[in-house]
Amino acid sequence: DCGETMDFNVLLGNLDLPPVDDPFKEDAPKLFQSLAECAPYLNKTKMAQTRREGSTKLQPSGPFKGSSFFGAEKEKAVTSYFQRLVALMHDEATKHNKRISKTANPSQLVPEFIYDIADHQSKEVPGSSHKMDVVLFYANRPKHINNVHIIVEAKLANVGDPMDEKTFAQIADYQYCIWKKQRTRAFVPVLLVHGSQLDLVVFARGHWYRVWLGSLCHGRQIIDTQDVKDVRLAMVRLYYLITLPSERFGHICDVSQGQQHLRFVKTSGVDSVLAAVESHVMATVDLSDLGDLLKIGGYVERFVHPRGRLAHIFRTTFQKQKAILKLSWTPVDRMPEGAVYELLENANVKGMPRVFACGLVRTNLFGYRLEYLVLEDCGSTIQEYLLAT
């Protein structure tokens, strides 16, 4: 499976995100400009300083002065550069916002980096058996596989090289682990730094997509103005993505605080799942610590497929009654399970579990919809029964 390439702006449209230049308007045109001008180039296995076209002098390393990636080799050089770059972008954005906060124009503020970044090249991410190159964790949460936001994988490659099978198998294994551990996932993003280039690989339930973000560092030593513009654009795109909150990028709700309850809020008065499908009506999802909501503890363990249909089942309570919460990803060309229960109820079929609540959380995300059902708890599953005997 070679996946599909997707344009960056098409991706933003699919995720209902604003254009990338919205938080980087003309009032902040120099944001990351110095970083792009001083960015190194990747010379086969090492990072080195560039020089401008027509000049014999090396470009000053500027904010990168003294960075460890200049003395590192191969993938270690690339991962060290990535981590240093993210830290510098965060610092520059913070300084920019402090300057802007003294003015009367808050629209010029840019988002700030809200995650923790950690190097896991030589140690496994707790809760897994994987050594991921770099991991973005939710801030103030334990460094555990359950709290991984974005995975970063670094490889040496030449411009235009396709992703090799070994690299794909590696990151596909990572994303599968995330799907198994994180039950509110909408998709799993992996940043692939291959040589000087940066791609975003999006693993959705039905397919995976590769989005080219640009050149994160220079691909040659002698650079011109266009090279600097290209590198800055990649930096802007990267910063835009890694500052998005979890509910906008990767999850169906905000999971950064580790709350244990879900609230489903319908955005219209449509009660029928069939009508919701036809009208593209979605419910919003909140996580909260309020005890009167659906607790997402009591997970019913079941096999998670790496792709295709997926259902997460939780034992919970609904209005003081034992209930089952089911989150189901299904292809958009299939009938939702809630609609099946509606049809059976309308036909007066007996012996069906009572449906307390149901609705759609996503009507179409990369060809799949996410449905929630709160059903009457009818006892143990066959698997639970067999394990208990």
Side-chain angles (χ1 to χ4, degrees):
D1 186 349
C2 60
E4 292 182 22
T5 57
M6 181 178 289
D7 179 77
F8 181 71
N9 290 318
V10 172
L11 172 73
L12 298 186
N14 283 329
L15 299 178
D16 294 323
L17 292 170
V20 71
D21 58 350
D22 269 13
F24 302 95
K25 297 176 182 177
E26 292 183 2
D27 41 45
K30 297 186 182 298
L31 199 65
F32 308 148
Q33 180 68 24
S34 63
L35 295 178
E37 290 175 347
C38 299
Y41 84 102
L42 185 62
N43 179 16
K44 293 185 178 179
T45 62
K46 293 183 178 181
M47 292 284 187
Q49 289 171 265
T50 61
R51 62 184 176 89
R52 281 282 190 162
E53 193 173 36
S55 174
T56 58
K57 294 183 178 180
L58 292 175
Q59 280 280 97
S61 53
F64 295 106
K65 185 177 181 180
S67 297
S68 61
F69 61 77
F70 281 122
E73 293 187 356
K74 300 182 179 180
E75 279 85 1
K76 190 172 183 179
V78 179
T79 55
S80 296
Y81 170 68
F82 181 90
Q83 293 174 81
R84 179 61 176 156
L85 176 62
V86 170
L88 289 172
M89 288 195 296
H90 171 58
D91 290 344
E92 190 165 324
T94 301
K95 292 175 182 176
H96 168 82
N97 286 343
K98 285 183 178 179
R99 290 194 301 269
I100 295 301
S101 64
K102 298 177 181 179
T103 70
N105 194 352
S107 66
Q108 297 179 9
L109 295 173
V110 297
E112 295 193 21
F113 185 62
I114 56 175
Y115 301 97
D116 289 340
I117 188 167
D119 190 313
H120 277 276
Q121 295 177 84
S122 58
K123 57 182 179 180
E124 296 174 347
V125 175
S128 77
S129 58
H130 298 299
K131 296 179 180 178
M132 303 168 181
D133 285 342
V134 179
V135 177
L136 272 61
F137 291 101
Y138 305 117
N140 304 316
R141 299 289 300 153
K143 300 300 184 288
H144 190 276
I145 192 68
N146 293 344
N147 298 313
V148 171
H149 179 51
I150 297 176
I151 302 163
V152 183
E153 186 66 19
K155 300 294 180 186
L156 288 178
N158 296 316
V159 176
D161 282 356
M163 189 191 316
D164 61 76
E165 292 184 6
K166 183 178 179 181
T167 298
F168 176 74
Q170 193 171 21
I171 63 176
D173 198 28
Y174 294 163
Q175 65 88 30
Y176 180 40
C177 182
I178 298 296
W179 277 113
K180 288 190 292 184
K181 297 291 186 177
Q182 299 183 11
R183 283 110 196 197
T184 57
R185 272 288 174 182
F187 61 88
V188 179
V190 178
L191 289 168
L192 176 62
V193 188
H194 52 115
S196 62
Q197 304 299 298
L198 177 66
D199 282 353
L200 171 69
V201 184
V202 175
F203 289 93
R205 288 313 303 169
H207 209 53
W208 67 275
Y209 305 88
R210 187 171 180 177
V211 183
W212 183 67
L213 301 182
S215 301
L216 201 58
C217 64
H218 297 290
R220 57 179 184 169
Q221 184 178 29
I222 302 174
I223 62 171
D224 56 25
T225 301
Q226 187 59 50
D227 293 322
V228 174
K229 288 182 178 179
D230 292 343
V231 169
R232 180 180 177 274
L233 176 60
M235 291 179 179
V236 167
R237 288 177 169 179
L238 170 64
Y239 191 75
Y240 179 86
L241 294 178
I242 64 175
T243 54
L244 290 169
S246 57
E247 68 271 22
R248 301 297 303 276
F249 196 66
H251 283 270
I252 63 172
C253 53
D254 177 15
V255 298
S256 60
Q257 302 303 314
Q259 299 96 328
Q260 294 297 311
H261 294 78
L262 286 170
R263 175 197 286 119
F264 296 92
V265 182
K266 291 187 178 181
T267 54
S268 81
V270 175
D271 292 324
S272 166
V273 174
L274 283 174
V277 171
E278 294 171 358
S279 306
H280 298 283
V281 173
M282 294 185 291
T284 59
V285 185
D286 295 323
L287 276 174
S288 173
D289 281 324
L290 298 176
D292 60 338
L293 305 180
L294 290 167
K295 186 173 177 59
I296 57 174
Y299 183 69
V300 178
E301 294 290 343
R302 58 206 311 269
F303 184 75
V304 174
H305 291 275
R307 277 177 54 182
R309 297 176 67 120
L310 172 64
H312 291 303
I313 298 175
F314 308 86
R315 295 197 181 280
T316 185
T317 57
F318 182 82
Q319 297 177 351
K320 299 182 179 181
Q321 299 182 70
K322 289 185 177 180
I324 293 292
L325 167 64
K326 188 174 183 180
L327 297 175
S328 298
W329 287 98
T330 55
V332 294
D333 59 354
R334 305 290 178 87
M335 182 178 289
E337 187 174 349
V340 174
Y341 282 115
E342 284 180 22
L343 294 173
L344 293 173
E345 182 180 3
N346 293 338
N348 294 318
V349 175
K350 306 299 182 183
M352 303 304 299
R354 181 183 174 190
V355 179
F356 296 122
C358 62
L360 303 179
V361 180
R362 295 288 185 275
T363 56
N364 190 340
L365 181 63
F366 304 118
Y368 272 64
R369 72 166 63 92
L370 176 60
E371 175 185 12
Y372 74 92
L373 291 122
V374 184
L375 303 164
E376 175 188 4
D377 188 345
C378 296
S380 302
T381 65
I382 294 176
Q383 183 178 358
E384 289 174 324
Y385 173 78
L386 292 174
L387 290 173
T389 57

